[in-house]
Amino acid sequence: MPSPLRRVPARLLHARGKTTSAQHVAARHLDHAFERLAAAHLPLVAASPLVDALRASPAEPLALPDLARRLPLRLHRRGPLHFLRLFPRVFSLRPPLPLSLSLTPAAAGLLAVASSPADAARTLHRLLAMSASRALPLRAVFRVWRELALPDDFEDSVVAGHPHLFRLAPNPTEPNTHVLHLVADPAAEDFTPAVDKTRPDRYAFKLQYPPGFRLTKEYRKKVKEWQQLPYTGPYEVVCPRAGKSKRVSKLARRKMEKRAVGIAHEFLSLTVEKMVEVEKFSQFRKWFGIEVNVRDVFLDHPGIFYLSAKGKRHTVFLRESYDRGKLVEPNEVSEARAKLVELMLLRRRGLGNANSSANMASGATADAKESGVDFVEHEDCLLDVSET
């Protein structure tokens, strides 16, 4: 029997009562096109720390024991070498022992594709303009540099290269960290939110529900009311609430929620693949002045967002940017990312069967012992790589 949340979707626009966040995630209406897309990205997401380390040292291969000591990798229950040998089109293992690792030329070329400093500066400018203080912690920006298609050296090529736009300053609340400030004149800014390009009506958002989603009469009525509700846009100044009371009216909370939807929509529009991990977006919550739970915002509006829980991580997609699992408006960077995902999905197909799965598993165990790389099994499909 379907869960109550699926049978009565109208409650998605109301207070959730005693439904926990985990129950709300489990009860969401699945969209298999997005689920397949999220699953296809999992190997690349798992290998991201390793890929970043290899890109930081492109001139020479890195020894596996050194990588194991430096990185908290979680790759595969059969061992790190088994994982690496699954993707010979991306990772190149080189003898003698201890084995060394590098990116293949094809993978390195695809990973090098990024926005130009000028385009990256415009993206960063819009991101900072959404902050009420026109500032963001640099560590939070670093967490999404890949999603925003920023260059590897964006701190130098983008931030330092545009002193009329950006300024770095020490974070007074966190020692040894920095805050990125926007110093551009607000009066000279005229940013139009991406949602304005697709609005059916003023204040309304384009809605695309997943296949099989039940639109009851009550739900349609609530959606219509919500679509007509005025709200403060992502680049508009928000007036602070009077007093410090946590109690707000139902109308005020609905407006706060709709503003959060607008900010999330704009943030996803700035990303190259129109998707981001919820945990990464949550780091901006305070700085964007969002006063509601962001995960609930994504779940409560299934016509605008889709939240996937693949790989024990929550990833949110902007629905209107996709058609049958593919970006409606791809660009050079997104196409390079898609080709990289395809390289990982190919695994060893088409390269012969010289290394069967059994040989790979036994070889990985032997090489790991001789290379000084160890691993610990977990109940899931990932593992920690650490020093022996």
Side-chain angles (χ1 to χ4, degrees):
M1 177 181 293
S3 70
L5 284 177
R6 289 184 185 174
R7 294 187 63 189
V8 191
R11 71 177 293 158
L12 296 176
L13 297 176
H14 297 282
R16 188 167 299 102
K18 296 183 178 180
T19 304
T20 66
S21 181
Q23 289 173 325
H24 199 34
V25 171
R28 74 195 188 285
H29 191 99
L30 293 179
D31 189 320
H32 296 290
F34 283 108
E35 290 296 314
R36 287 192 293 270
L37 184 61
H41 280 78
L42 287 181
L44 184 57
V45 171
S48 290
L50 178 60
V51 169
D52 291 342
L54 293 173
R55 292 187 66 192
S57 180
E60 57 184 23
L62 299 179
L64 279 182
D66 294 338
L67 284 171
R69 282 189 288 270
R70 289 166 49 189
L71 300 175
L73 299 180
R74 293 173 59 81
L75 297 174
H76 198 283
R77 70 163 70 242
R78 292 186 183 179
L81 294 182
H82 181 91
F83 178 90
L84 296 173
R85 285 171 169 166
L86 285 175
F87 308 105
R89 291 178 171 88
V90 177
F91 301 109
S92 176
L93 285 165
R94 304 181 185 183
L97 296 174
L99 295 175
S100 58
L101 181 69
S102 64
L103 292 169
T104 64
L110 292 173
L111 286 163
V113 179
S115 297
S116 67
D119 289 341
R122 281 191 287 271
T123 298
L124 207 52
H125 189 171
R126 295 177 76 101
L127 185 71
L128 285 159
M130 287 195 289
S131 169
S133 62
R134 296 173 67 81
L136 292 171
L138 186 62
R139 56 173 172 74
V141 179
F142 266 117
R143 291 293 306 278
V144 295
W145 72 272
R146 189 180 293 104
E147 286 82 355
L148 297 175
L150 302 180
D152 293 354
D153 63 343
F154 80 88
E155 197 173 347
D156 295 323
S157 63
V158 179
V159 177
H162 297 79
H164 62 292
L165 293 178
F166 313 114
R167 177 176 59 86
L168 269 179
N171 189 340
T173 61
E174 295 183 27
N176 303 319
T177 63
H178 290 80
V179 175
L180 181 59
H181 294 267
L182 182 62
V183 297
D185 183 8
E189 297 171 346
D190 186 22
F191 293 138
T192 301
V195 69
D196 284 2
K197 300 176 183 177
T198 58
R199 281 196 196 278
D201 296 295
R202 189 183 183 189
Y203 301 126
F205 287 79
K206 184 178 180 180
L207 303 177
Q208 296 178 194
Y209 293 101
F213 189 84
R214 290 186 59 188
L215 293 172
T216 64
K217 184 177 180 180
E218 180 187 1
Y219 185 72
R220 292 177 187 273
K221 178 182 177 182
K222 295 296 180 182
V223 167
K224 184 177 180 180
E225 293 175 355
W226 186 87
Q227 289 277 58
Q228 296 172 348
L229 184 70
Y231 73 100
T232 306
Y235 298 115
E236 298 178 44
V237 178
V238 180
C239 298
R241 286 194 290 123
K244 297 184 179 180
S245 174
K246 293 184 177 180
R247 299 191 64 177
V248 296
S249 67
K250 184 179 294 186
L251 178 61
R253 180 161 293 278
R254 291 175 67 198
K255 288 185 176 181
M256 287 161 49
E257 178 197 15
K258 191 163 185 180
R259 178 176 177 272
V261 170
I263 291 174
H265 186 287
E266 187 66 10
F267 185 96
L268 286 167
S269 297
L270 294 177
T271 64
V272 68
E273 295 177 283
K274 316 308 177 191
M275 69 182 203
V276 70
E277 288 184 32
V278 175
E279 184 268 336
K280 291 182 179 181
F281 177 73
S282 297
Q283 293 186 98
F284 297 92
R285 178 172 174 255
K286 179 186 74 173
W287 296 84
F288 287 159
I290 297 176
E291 301 182 69
V292 294
N293 185 293
V294 294
R295 183 178 289 103
D296 290 343
V297 166
F298 298 138
L299 291 168
D300 288 351
H301 298 276
I304 303 172
F305 310 108
Y306 181 74
L307 187 142
S308 171
K310 283 287 186 183
K312 298 187 177 180
R313 55 172 46 83
H314 292 168
T315 304
V316 62
F317 298 84
L318 185 60
R319 278 194 169 279
E320 67 185 50
S321 297
Y322 284 86
D323 180 27
R324 300 178 183 179
K326 294 186 179 296
L327 281 171
V328 176
E329 296 181 0
N331 53 62
E332 183 184 8
V333 181
S334 67
E335 288 181 342
R337 302 271 176 87
K339 289 177 181 177
L340 185 63
V341 170
E342 289 176 3
L343 286 183
M344 298 203 77
L345 290 178
L346 284 172
R347 298 203 172 194
R348 301 194 58 83
R349 285 195 290 273
L351 298 179
N353 58 359
N355 280 334
S356 64
S357 297
N359 290 335
M360 288 169 57
S362 61
T365 303
D367 289 343
K369 291 179 179 178
E370 295 187 50
S371 300
V373 180
D374 197 9
F375 64 91
V376 180
E377 270 195 45
H378 290 257
E379 66 273 13
D380 57 0
C381 65
L382 304 177
L383 59 90
D384 286 333
V385 178
S386 59
E387 182 182 4
T388 55

